Amino acid sequence: MILDGESLAKKVYLDVKKRVAELEEKGVRPGLCAIRVGSDPASQLYVGKKIRACENCGIKSKAVILDETAEESELISAIQKENEDPSTHGILIQLPLPSSIDTQIVIEAISPKKDVDGFHPFNVGRVATGVGGFPPCTPKGILRLLDEYGLDVRGKEVVIVGASRIAGRPTAELFLSRMATITVCHIETKDLAFHTRRAEILVVAVGRPGLITKEMISQGVVIVDVGVNRIIDSNNPRGFRVVGDVAPSCRERAYAWTPVPGGVGPMTVAMLLENTVIAAEASLTGITV
Ligand code: NAP
């Protein structure tokens, strides 16, 4: 079974549009500001997609683009300006940032109320303690997708490969909050296949095409492939194609899987818009998300 993130994202957008209209009746138009540093083509593409999705849903969006050589202080000033702007409800910093900039300092400069990517320690802490917060968009999108297809995670053996702050770790937190049993694998994991074979739900977020092969999984597993990798393809007009971290042959053994592209990626963008609407709604009530 294909877990179709593209279709579910469209459903999420219908709800987002409805909530945007309700907010507008109350005099608030949700606004998202995307800040990008430099001209990395992948970052340009991602920011473009997010801005277009906002426009389609009636969310006011803007992109602030700083030069590759911008100083950390310039970026912080741009964030502070958006923190103070009441028409901006969500701020996202497109990662990765140039190595001269300390990503953590930048993330912590965002007002937690506008941290719709859910990377600020305030939100990381609230999500981890189960009291609220903005969950990061990728893990939130993964769980929404599994819910949509009636795939209950409670009590399931969930193995997550990759332990980054933006993907693997918050995914583990969200699955734990839903009472799954979690194993997180990373670069130091001794026998990756031992763990992946035990998985009833396998989430892979590493960035290495073909890392997971058919021999490493069990029959009936649900595969969530977060990886986005460009590989050279001379038959493709663009000269490359996008693949995940899981070898296509794994589908033969899987009960369900997310395609790449068209699985987790569209859900990540949809959850960003949903978080922005939630931030705008919270700006009316003053309640901490
Ligand atoms: P990242 O920061 O590089 O993290 C990768 C993680 O995988 C790290 O924890 C790393 O460990 C671990 N790792 C590396 N090689 C491994 C191996 N052989 N076995 C097990 N673990 C290994 O990357 P990321 O930002 O999490 O992104 C991961 C992938 O997901 C990328 O392809 C990215 O483009 C994609 N992504 C997609 C979406 C989406 O919306 N679809 C969203 C976010 C990310 P160490 O840090 O110790 O090396």
Side-chain angles (χ1 to χ4, degrees):
M1 173 168 67
I2 297 172
L3 305 176
D4 183 351
E6 203 81 62
S7 298
L8 179 54
K10 284 185 188 145
K11 280 196 200 175
V12 173
Y13 291 141
L14 290 178
D15 179 61
V16 166
K17 278 183 194 166
K18 189 170 138 270
R19 289 163 74 174
V20 168
E22 283 164 7
L23 279 162
E24 279 184 323
E25 276 171 24
K26 294 174 186 157
V28 174
R29 175 149 185 233
L32 176 75
C33 175
I35 304 180
R36 174 164 71 73
V37 182
S39 52
D40 171 54
S43 293
Q44 287 182 26
L45 186 84
Y46 290 140
V47 168
K49 274 188 182 176
K50 290 165 188 175
I51 297 281
R52 273 195 303 283
C54 283
E55 282 165 3
N56 290 338
C57 288
I59 293 175
K60 191 175 127 235
S61 61
K62 64 176 163 189
V64 172
I65 297 151
L66 301 183
D67 195 75
E68 184 79 36
T69 56
E71 306 250 337
E72 192 174 285
S73 57
E74 257 179 88
L75 180 51
I76 305 277
S77 299
I79 293 169
Q80 279 163 351
K81 195 165 157 251
E82 298 306 322
N83 281 343
E84 281 155 27
D85 184 342
S87 71
T88 297
H89 301 96
I91 301 171
L92 85 87
I93 310 294
Q94 188 62 45
L95 301 178
L97 291 170
S99 55
S100 57
I101 294 177
D102 185 326
T103 303
Q104 192 58 24
I105 289 177
V106 169
I107 286 171
E108 290 186 26
I110 302 171
S111 162
K113 291 181 175 163
K114 301 190 178 189
D115 170 41
V116 286
D117 257 340
F119 296 154
H120 191 289
F122 180 85
N123 285 308
V124 174
R126 281 180 74 77
V127 170
T129 46
V131 295
F134 287 109
C137 304
T138 299
K140 185 180 180 187
I142 291 171
L143 276 163
R144 185 69 63 81
L145 194 52
L146 297 179
D147 288 345
E148 174 74 7
Y149 285 87
L151 298 166
D152 191 12
V153 304
R154 180 172 285 267
K156 291 282 179 341
E157 287 290 337
V158 177
V159 176
I160 296 158
V161 186
S164 74
R165 281 189 9 217
I166 70 162
R169 278 168 196 249
T171 300
E173 288 291 354
L174 288 201
F175 273 101
L176 182 58
S177 72
R178 299 277 290 269
M179 300 303 285
T181 303
I182 316 299
T183 303
V184 183
C185 301
H186 44 74
I187 193 74
E188 299 289 348
T189 297
K190 288 200 179 74
D191 184 351
L192 183 59
F194 165 79
H195 296 285
T196 54
R197 274 191 213 110
R198 289 178 32 250
E200 293 177 286
I201 300 174
L202 178 63
V203 182
V204 190
V206 171
R208 282 190 52 188
L211 176 70
I212 304 299
T213 57
K214 201 165 76 173
E215 298 69 37
M216 295 170 73
I217 59 169
S218 293
Q219 190 69 35
V221 65
V222 172
I223 298 174
V224 178
D225 192 352
V226 182
V228 178
N229 308 292
R230 282 182 180 197
I231 58 166
I232 295 167
D233 181 356
S234 52
N235 294 324
N236 191 300
R238 292 187 297 178
F240 67 87
R241 69 194 154 92
V242 174
V243 299
D245 290 345
V246 178
S249 58
C250 290
R251 293 171 184 180
E252 294 164 25
R253 288 197 174 169
Y255 172 68
W257 72 89
T258 59
V260 179
V264 176
M267 288 307 297
T268 299
V269 180
M271 293 300 106
L272 175 71
L273 269 59
E274 186 177 271
N275 277 356
T276 303
V277 168
I278 292 169
E281 289 167 348
S283 75
L284 277 178
T285 60
I287 292 170
T288 302
V289 173

